[in-house]
């Protein structure tokens, strides 16, 4: 019996590849870089399923190249703004993602950034290594207190809620803005639902947890930064283009806000000019889900999505299942 043909666009944790190879005829990009667009188009041709990354742009041309037999593109990420889901749906291709398994790792990293910026952890480490520590001083490298402050969460999905829950451990008052109130979050944290403008004006820490869509592109720009307290800190572990990076660099440079902790960037891996020189920004190379345990779980979830689709079962994390299946059956 011929086995389903599956292409994996980059090496993943071994457990995921081992599971996939047990059930399919799998090929993995062995290289240390993402495929070029032409390489990707060539590799997906004739595949029954593709396991892709957030760094792969999956548009109609790539989906068309895969061919009509292709059942699923399983993204190795919770965010899937790199995929044209409408085009996939029209072609009857299921798109799947990896929610839940990376919630805690990403919330932990948002908190690592929050603490690092507030308490000048990266700056202090650098100063110490370069011999600037001359002994304890009353006014040396003063940061901002975290405990008891106001934590503003924009986007009350799984990761936003997990970040808010951690705020309770620091006795923080939590406020949030979202498309609708979230009673579960309010019950767990005492959070108060507020308009985005109110949140920006009140919060000491603003943490972003929205998906990247046309509506959230540059959600935080010059106008929003101007509303924030001069002592406020912005944290972004969502997607880079949610923040207008040029406006952010200007706000950090002029002290319009106190600091920023960023794990994602507008044109990854390229940084906005000036950002890397700012001492009040902590900038990480997109590490939100980067723990061994989480990356393995993400791989297993992506593989389970693929195996289900190939078996004619419902993939646990399809984002367009009903519509894609309807299109496939000509409905
Ligand atoms: C995601 O899953 O969307 C994350 O950005 C990956 O770390």
């Amino acid at each position: 019996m011929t086995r389903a043909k599956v292409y994996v666009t980059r090496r993943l944790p071994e457990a995921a590849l081992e599971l996939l190879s047990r059930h399919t005829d799998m090929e993995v990009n062995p290289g240390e870089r993402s495929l070029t667009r032409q390489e990707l188009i060539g590799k997906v041709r004739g595949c029954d399923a593709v396991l892709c990354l957030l760094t792969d742009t999956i548009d109609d041309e790539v989906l068309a190249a895969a061919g009509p037999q292709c059942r699923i593109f399983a993204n190795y990420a919770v965010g899937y703004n790199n995929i044209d889901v409408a085009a996939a749906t029209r072609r009857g291709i299921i798109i799947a993602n990896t929610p839940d398994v990376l919630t805690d790792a990403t919330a932990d990293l948002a908190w690592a950034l929050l603490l690092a910026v507030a308490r000048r952890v990266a700056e202090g480490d650098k100063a110490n290594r370069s011999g600037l520590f001359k002994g304890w001083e009353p006014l040396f490298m003063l940061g901002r207190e975290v405990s008891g402050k106001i934590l503003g969460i924009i986007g009350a999905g799984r990761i936003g809620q997990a970040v808010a829950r951690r705020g309770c451990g620091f006795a923080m008052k939590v406020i949030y803005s979202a498309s609708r109130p979230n009673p579960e979050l309010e019950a767990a944290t005492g959070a108060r639902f507020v308009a985005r403008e109110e949140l920006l004006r009140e919060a000491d820490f603003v943490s972003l947890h929205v998906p990247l869509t046309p509506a959230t592109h540059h959600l935080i720009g010059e106008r929003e930064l101007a509303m924030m307290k001069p002592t406020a800190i912005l944290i972004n572990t969502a997607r880079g283009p949610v923040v207008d990076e040029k406006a952010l660099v200007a706000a950090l440079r002029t002290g319009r806000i106190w600091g920023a902790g960023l794990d994602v960037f507008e044109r990854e891996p390229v940084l906005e000019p000036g950002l890397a020189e700012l001492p009040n920004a902590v900038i990480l190379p997109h590490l939100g889900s980067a723990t061994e345990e989480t990356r393995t779980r993400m791989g297993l979830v992506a593989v389970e999505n693929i195996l289900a689709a190939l078996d004619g079962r419902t993939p646990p994390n399809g984002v367009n299942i009903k519509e894609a299946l309807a299109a496939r059956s000509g409905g």
Side-chain angles (χ1 to χ4, degrees):
M1 202 177 100
T2 55
R3 305 213 303 170
K5 185 174 166 200
V6 180
Y7 191 73
V8 182
T9 66
R10 199 73 189 264
R11 286 200 66 75
L12 301 179
E14 209 40 53
L17 295 180
E18 202 272 319
L19 176 64
L20 190 58
S21 66
R22 247 189 282 144
H23 296 275
T24 67
D25 177 7
M26 170 193 88
E27 184 187 344
V28 184
N29 166 18
E32 293 300 321
R33 59 163 179 84
S34 298
L35 298 178
T36 65
R37 182 170 177 73
Q38 282 322 308
E39 287 168 339
L40 179 64
I41 285 174
K43 286 297 184 185
V44 302
R45 196 156 275 137
C47 283
D48 300 297
V50 177
L51 201 162
C52 56
L53 310 189
L54 57 88
T55 46
D56 300 316
T57 298
I58 308 297
D59 58 13
D60 195 47
E61 197 187 351
V62 175
L63 295 160
Q69 79 299 329
C70 184
R71 296 197 160 264
I72 184 167
F73 272 65
N75 216 30
Y76 182 67
V78 64
Y80 48 90
N81 53 287
N82 57 310
I83 303 180
D84 184 341
V85 178
T89 302
R90 279 195 304 277
R91 293 185 178 279
I93 297 177
I94 293 172
I95 301 302
N97 66 344
T98 61
D100 298 317
V101 291
L102 48 66
T103 298
D104 284 327
T106 310
D108 289 348
L109 193 91
W111 265 90
L113 283 170
L114 188 157
L115 290 165
V117 179
R119 300 304 307 274
R120 305 176 69 169
V121 171
E123 210 187 335
D125 179 88
K126 194 170 158 201
N128 206 359
R129 288 170 197 268
S130 45
L132 292 178
F133 179 42
K134 308 287 183 210
W136 191 90
E137 289 179 53
L139 300 178
F140 185 55
M141 294 208 89
L142 304 187
R144 307 229 49 99
E145 193 92 4
V146 173
S147 295
K149 293 289 182 70
I150 301 178
L151 173 61
I153 303 284
I154 298 186
R158 287 171 282 248
I159 299 172
Q161 291 184 57
V163 171
R165 279 198 305 275
R166 284 156 174 73
C168 297
F170 287 80
M172 294 179 99
K173 181 173 153 199
V174 181
I175 56 179
Y176 73 105
S177 77
S179 48
R180 68 188 78 84
N182 183 325
E184 195 191 327
L185 171 63
E186 293 178 15
T189 64
R192 188 164 58 88
F193 181 65
V194 295
R196 193 182 319 132
E197 281 72 15
E198 186 180 342
L199 183 145
L200 292 168
R201 289 200 176 90
E202 278 192 21
D204 297 300
F205 299 90
V206 174
S207 194
L208 305 174
H209 301 288
V210 291
L212 175 62
T213 67
T216 61
H217 183 263
H218 285 190
L219 187 75
I220 302 296
E222 191 183 343
R223 176 176 161 273
E224 291 71 24
L225 291 161
M227 287 179 193
M228 291 170 65
K229 295 177 180 175
T231 50
I233 290 171
L234 179 71
I235 304 298
N236 188 8
T237 53
R239 283 290 181 266
V242 172
V243 176
D244 176 347
E245 232 166 56
K246 212 178 266 316
L248 177 62
V249 168
L252 290 169
R253 196 176 271 149
T254 57
R256 182 60 212 84
I257 65 169
W258 202 79
L262 309 173
D263 186 42
V264 288
F265 304 91
E266 266 203 90
R267 291 171 296 281
E268 281 180 35
V270 176
L271 299 178
E272 177 67 23
L275 186 56
E277 286 75 49
L278 290 169
N280 52 350
V282 175
I283 50 175
L284 296 182
H286 205 148
L287 297 179
S289 61
T291 69
E292 286 183 17
E293 298 90 331
T294 291
R295 289 282 167 87
T296 296
R297 285 196 294 263
M298 287 165 65
L300 293 172
V301 168
V303 169
E304 179 46 37
N305 284 326
I306 287 177
L307 297 180
L310 294 176
D311 267 12
R313 289 181 285 117
T314 304
N317 307 109
V319 302
N320 64 341
I321 295 180
K322 254 194 5 229
E323 302 83 346
L325 293 180
R328 185 167 282 274
S329 62

